[in-house]
Amino acid sequence: MGPIWMTLLLASTLGLFSWSAYRRLRQVKVGVPDPRFAWNSEQIFDRVKTTLVYAFGQKRMPNYTLAGFAHVGIFIAFQVLLLNSLMLWGRGFQSGFDFWGVLSESHIIGKGYSFVKELAAFAAIVGSVAFLYLRWVKRGYDSGDPKAVKDKPRMTLGHQVNRYVFTEPILILFIIITMMLADFLYVGSSLVLDSRAFGEPIHAGWWEPFGGITAQLLSGLESDSVVRALQHAGFWWHSAFVLIFLNILPYSKHFHVLTVIPNVFAYDRRPNALPKVEDLEGKVEREESLGIKQLTDLTYKHIMDLYTCTECGRCSDNCPAYITNKKLSPKHLTLALRDHLYATEQAMFGKDALVAEPSDGAVEMPTTSSGEEPIHTFPQAPEGGYFVGDTVVDLIPNILHPDVIWGCTSCRACEEQCPVMISYVDKIIGMRREEVMMKNEFPSELQGAFNGIETNGNPWNLSSMDRGDWADGLQIPLLSDKPDAEVLYWVGCAASYDDRAKKVARSVAKLLKKARVDFAILGTEETCTGDPARRAGNEYLFQMLAEQNVQTLNGYQVSKKAVITACPHCFNILGNEYGDFGGHFDVVHHSDFLNGLLVAGKLVPSKAVRGKVVYHDSCYLGRYNQVYDSPRQILESIEGLELTEVPYWNRNKGLCCGAGGAQMFMEEQGEERVNNKRTLQLVDAGATTIASACPYCMTMLTDGLKKLDKDEEIGQRDIAEILADAIELDEVEDTPVAAQ
Ligand code: SF4
Ligand code: SF4
């Protein structure tokens, strides 16, 4: 078909692509390696499995039905058609090249492949037409109305405001459709020419259904030279546009076609644990950055995230901050960082780049920040939240408005939804670390919580001596008096000091006593786990507390006991983060523990509890630790109780209550409250009681009910309280632990 032309085509397009790939790769390397990534067999096995499921299998794509399936169709088609493209390029040098007969039409593998390829090409056309329908007809991307997202998840806008008919995604869709049609044209015209050469009627095999249809359509053309011209057009169009497509990718949002596989492979295997700042004291002394200050503090994976964002908007559609009109929109946070990365290429690598080699190997850049114009004036992202600059500047406040990072509740709804495994919480907390520990810039309300945690071991700064008062009269031993207790009940700050949460702690304790669990508490030896401090970016304070708590717990050999807690934040940090500080504990949330007691017959609900209950999933229990079933199973075990769900926003899609990420101790931005929005969703489910399993959620939802004037009508109770209502507990209070 033309060896010279094919050589020119391949050399020019692959050469250009290599240059583009080099440019993108060198920008990845301005970051730092992810310290948690290791090339050991355990990690590699897990990463390969995850890549197969999420990158090749597209597991998260069908979340948005039509767009999801359309994407799956196109993605599979590209994987299948890669071999076809290689074969066509080969035919540029050798007519009829078919991988030494294996893919020839006389070989069963060739027939099978041809059949799959034609179906895949058809799926790509259908998928592309579906996307055109979404963009042009349904305009699901482009309502331009931020309110549209509030009650029904939808795709948000792409990077550019898609008011224009021909945007980059549309161009790409047309390239895909015409590439597939070109392949059918090539196969169909080849069939016509073959039939004429042998003087036979057109005979298309089962393995070329669409090529056969195309051949029938072309059979009316009398001129062989016209058919031959169409065959050449199909061949060159398909062969060349694959390569042109390849060259567009590094400069478009479709770069994810290439980066999704390495990005998913490098995914954060511990998304429920923030990375530890190693050698914190040393870094402070050396005045090194403790968090994410500039692009150069991002990890390689963070930078790959920027390349890989598909701009689908799932993250923002499910983000409590975004849907209550805060400045934070996770998608636009990624796009702002990506724009900044691309815009700084000249500053980093151009002729005039002021590049020095500092001792830690990072690239040091000029830090001027004036004069950048906001470019992200999206209707759904409040103006002024996101900027771009072409010199490497501090990300906060130059590229991202401080409110962007302080609006996050660390709920991980974005990460749960993201089809390409982009992380947010570690980046946002990384930026908070820089603000808090290096610049002393943070919402002023947090100062009280920091002081309280440091002075009295609780964010409300109440006396540490009162920590065990909630248990008065319950005859619960202290671990110091009963070091051989089998179970430690870690109470947490909220249940120790908040009057409403204390009632939950008492219900938990009574249920444990009823089930004859041999447990003890730490009393005044317990202190804050440090969760609010860590999520607020005060890693320094957190590490102090973590070390202190680990010392206390290891002193009692708690690693040989079970630890139960009714606070998902304590549950997560003790179980998933204290390991980095030498504390390896078997931590169980009270929902799992109580459910286990029910299953074992140690607790038997004997009293009916009438009413309709809707369960609110805590982020740190659900998305962080996949505990979705136990709370529901506890409620379902109670006679007379009817369990209902919030449509869409339940389980892994449950909307945050608004308290996590230290929001509990900050003034919420703007007028619209996350807790009110969540409460409204729960109220709309038509229940008489909202059940929860987290003291923070309880506070937020109770406030929400008051705000909606529904607090008389609808109750807000912990699952332990509801279970306690169903169990005979009259004599439990006066009886010592494990003595019934
Ligand atoms: S963690 Fe939650 S609040 Fe933060 S960006 Fe993601 S979805 Fe939004
Ligand atoms: S971060 Fe993920 S979910 Fe958000 S727009 Fe990008 S690809 Fe979609």
Side-chain angles (χ1 to χ4, degrees), residues 621-681:
L621 196 56
R623 272 187 293 272
Y624 273 70
N625 290 289
Q626 290 76 52
V627 179
Y628 297 113
D629 293 333
S630 287
R632 289 173 170 82
Q633 284 166 3
I634 289 172
L635 296 170
E636 281 166 346
S637 73
I638 300 170
E639 192 192 330
L641 195 150
E642 185 191 343
L643 184 61
T644 188
E645 296 284 355
V646 179
Y648 180 82
W649 302 95
N650 64 66
R651 298 178 76 95
N652 67 335
K653 297 191 280 296
L655 185 66
C656 177
C657 71
Q663 294 293 334
M664 184 87 173
F665 309 101
M666 291 185 239
E667 276 298 318
E668 191 167 339
Q669 298 165 17
E671 294 293 309
E672 210 176 334
R673 306 279 148 183
V674 174
N675 66 324
N676 291 345
K677 182 160 188 67
R678 181 53 174 167
T679 309
L680 199 54
Q681 291 177 346

Side-chain angles (χ1 to χ4, degrees), residues 315 318-322 328 330 407-415 424-425 428:
C315 49
N318 289 272
C319 170
Y322 176 67
L328 169 61
C408 179
T409 69
S410 71
C411 70
R412 293 199 57 246
C414 49
E415 298 177 357
Y424 278 100
V425 176
I428 289 173

Side-chain angles (χ1 to χ4, degrees), residues 308-315 331 334 417-420 422 424:
T308 309
C309 179
T310 69
E311 302 183 18
C312 68
R314 288 164 172 74
C315 49
K331 168 174 136 174
T334 289
Q417 287 294 323
C418 181
V420 293
I422 287 173
Y424 278 100

Side-chain angles (χ1 to χ4, degrees), residues 506-647:
R506 292 179 71 86
S507 293
V508 173
K510 286 181 193 175
L511 289 167
L512 296 179
K513 288 174 82 178
K514 179 74 179 180
R516 300 178 58 81
V517 175
D518 179 18
F519 75 101
I521 58 174
L522 281 168
T524 54
E525 281 192 280
E526 187 184 288
T527 186
C528 180
T529 57
D531 169 83
R534 189 170 223 203
R535 265 69 202 172
N538 196 338
E539 179 76 0
Y540 196 85
L541 179 54
F542 161 71
Q543 291 202 5
M544 271 171 47
L545 290 156
E547 280 160 15
Q548 181 186 335
N549 282 323
V550 167
Q551 195 177 12
T552 305
L553 294 171
N554 284 347
Y556 288 115
Q557 297 192 310
V558 170
S559 57
K560 294 181 181 161
K561 306 177 191 296
V563 180
I564 72 161
T565 176
C567 173
H569 298 267
C570 297
F571 169 55
N572 185 66
I573 206 162
L574 289 171
N576 296 324
E577 298 189 350
Y578 271 30
D580 290 340
F581 299 86
H584 300 279
F585 310 117
D586 176 16
V587 191
V588 190
H589 186 254
H590 76 314
S591 54
D592 273 342
F593 199 84
L594 294 176
N595 194 39
L597 294 175
L598 285 168
V599 170
K602 293 185 176 174
L603 287 175
V604 182
S606 56
K607 296 191 281 181
V609 178
R610 308 260 165 234
K612 196 168 174 182
V613 177
V614 60
Y615 174 68
H616 161 79
D617 287 281
S618 145
C619 305
Y620 277 73
L621 196 56
R623 272 187 293 272
Y624 273 70
N625 290 289
Q626 290 76 52
V627 179
Y628 297 113
D629 293 333
S630 287
R632 289 173 170 82
Q633 284 166 3
I634 289 172
L635 296 170
E636 281 166 346
S637 73
I638 300 170
E639 192 192 330
L641 195 150
E642 185 191 343
L643 184 61
T644 188
E645 296 284 355
V646 179

